[in-house]
Short mmCIF file of all heavy atoms in Angstrom, two decimals:
data_model
loop_
_atom_site.label_atom_id
_atom_site.label_comp_id
_atom_site.label_asym_id
_atom_site.label_seq_id
_atom_site.Cartn_x
_atom_site.Cartn_y
_atom_site.Cartn_z
N PHE A 273 18.27 1.80 5.40
CA PHE A 273 17.90 3.24 5.61
C PHE A 273 17.45 3.46 7.07
O PHE A 273 17.07 4.60 7.39
CB PHE A 273 16.79 3.68 4.61
CG PHE A 273 15.65 2.65 4.55
CD1 PHE A 273 14.66 2.65 5.53
CD2 PHE A 273 15.69 1.61 3.61
CE1 PHE A 273 13.71 1.69 5.54
CE2 PHE A 273 14.72 0.67 3.63
CZ PHE A 273 13.63 0.71 4.60
N GLY A 315 11.67 -2.39 15.83
CA GLY A 315 11.38 -3.82 15.71
C GLY A 315 10.35 -4.16 14.67
O GLY A 315 9.68 -3.30 14.09
N GLU A 316 10.27 -5.43 14.46
CA GLU A 316 9.36 -6.04 13.39
C GLU A 316 8.24 -6.76 14.22
O GLU A 316 8.37 -7.85 14.75
CB GLU A 316 10.11 -7.05 12.54
CG GLU A 316 9.27 -7.80 11.56
CD GLU A 316 8.18 -7.00 10.80
OE1 GLU A 316 8.50 -5.96 10.18
OE2 GLU A 316 7.02 -7.52 10.91
N SER A 347 2.48 -2.31 11.34
CA SER A 347 3.35 -2.23 10.14
C SER A 347 4.37 -3.29 10.03
O SER A 347 5.02 -3.60 11.09
CB SER A 347 4.01 -0.80 10.18
OG SER A 347 4.92 -0.64 9.08
N THR A 348 4.55 -3.89 8.86
CA THR A 348 5.54 -4.93 8.74
C THR A 348 6.37 -4.73 7.49
O THR A 348 5.85 -4.10 6.53
CB THR A 348 4.86 -6.33 8.64
OG1 THR A 348 5.86 -7.32 8.29
CG2 THR A 348 3.80 -6.33 7.58
N SER A 369 5.78 -1.90 4.73
CA SER A 369 6.92 -1.04 4.34
C SER A 369 7.45 -1.55 3.05
O SER A 369 8.18 -2.56 3.00
CB SER A 369 7.99 -1.03 5.42
OG SER A 369 7.43 -0.54 6.67
N ASN A 371 8.76 0.43 -0.01
CA ASN A 371 10.03 1.12 -0.21
C ASN A 371 10.70 0.90 -1.56
O ASN A 371 11.62 1.68 -1.89
CB ASN A 371 10.98 0.87 0.91
CG ASN A 371 10.40 1.26 2.25
OD1 ASN A 371 9.49 2.13 2.30
ND2 ASN A 371 10.80 0.56 3.32
N GLU A 411 3.74 1.83 2.89
CA GLU A 411 4.71 2.95 3.22
C GLU A 411 5.89 2.90 2.24
O GLU A 411 6.36 1.82 1.84
CB GLU A 411 5.25 2.68 4.63
CG GLU A 411 4.14 2.85 5.69
CD GLU A 411 4.55 2.11 6.98
OE1 GLU A 411 4.57 0.86 6.94
OE2 GLU A 411 4.88 2.80 7.94
N VAL A 413 9.36 4.84 1.68
CA VAL A 413 10.36 5.86 2.11
C VAL A 413 11.07 6.34 0.86
O VAL A 413 11.70 5.53 0.07
CB VAL A 413 11.42 5.26 3.06
CG1 VAL A 413 12.44 6.30 3.50
CG2 VAL A 413 10.75 4.62 4.28
N PHE A 444 12.75 10.44 3.40
CA PHE A 444 13.84 9.90 4.25
C PHE A 444 14.20 10.86 5.38
O PHE A 444 14.48 12.03 5.09
CB PHE A 444 15.02 9.53 3.39
CG PHE A 444 16.33 9.13 4.26
CD1 PHE A 444 16.19 7.90 4.87
CD2 PHE A 444 17.41 9.85 4.27
CE1 PHE A 444 17.29 7.43 5.68
CE2 PHE A 444 18.51 9.46 5.11
CZ PHE A 444 18.42 8.25 5.73
N ASN A 445 14.25 10.31 6.57
CA ASN A 445 14.70 11.16 7.73
C ASN A 445 16.10 10.73 8.05
O ASN A 445 16.39 9.63 8.40
CB ASN A 445 13.79 10.79 9.00
CG ASN A 445 12.34 11.26 8.75
OD1 ASN A 445 12.10 12.41 8.39
ND2 ASN A 445 11.41 10.37 9.01
N CYS A 488 10.10 8.75 11.75
CA CYS A 488 10.13 7.36 11.25
C CYS A 488 11.57 6.86 11.01
O CYS A 488 12.36 7.61 10.35
CB CYS A 488 9.43 7.24 9.92
SG CYS A 488 7.68 7.74 9.98
N GLY A 489 11.91 5.77 11.58
CA GLY A 489 13.19 5.17 11.26
C GLY A 489 14.36 5.82 12.00
O GLY A 489 15.51 5.42 11.75
N1 SAH B 782 9.54 -3.20 11.09
C1 SAH B 782 8.18 -2.64 10.75
C2 SAH B 782 7.85 -1.59 11.77
C3 SAH B 782 8.75 -0.28 11.70
S1 SAH B 782 7.80 0.86 10.89
C4 SAH B 782 8.17 -2.17 9.38
O1 SAH B 782 9.17 -2.21 8.70
O2 SAH B 782 7.12 -1.85 8.94
C5 SAH B 782 8.94 2.14 10.54
C6 SAH B 782 8.71 2.72 9.21
O3 SAH B 782 9.63 3.83 9.01
C7 SAH B 782 8.85 1.80 8.08
O4 SAH B 782 7.82 2.05 7.09
C8 SAH B 782 10.15 2.25 7.45
O5 SAH B 782 10.20 1.91 6.09
C9 SAH B 782 10.27 3.66 7.79
N2 SAH B 782 11.67 4.17 7.91
C10 SAH B 782 12.66 3.48 8.39
N3 SAH B 782 13.82 4.25 8.39
C11 SAH B 782 13.34 5.51 7.89
C12 SAH B 782 14.00 6.75 7.73
N4 SAH B 782 15.28 6.90 8.02
N5 SAH B 782 13.27 7.71 7.25
C13 SAH B 782 12.00 7.64 6.91
N6 SAH B 782 11.31 6.45 7.14
C14 SAH B 782 12.02 5.40 7.62
#
Side-chain angles (χ1 to χ4, degrees):
F273 47 82
E316 170 47 52
S347 178
T348 175
S369 298
N371 303 332
E411 296 157 287
V413 181
F444 173 67
N445 295 310
C488 300

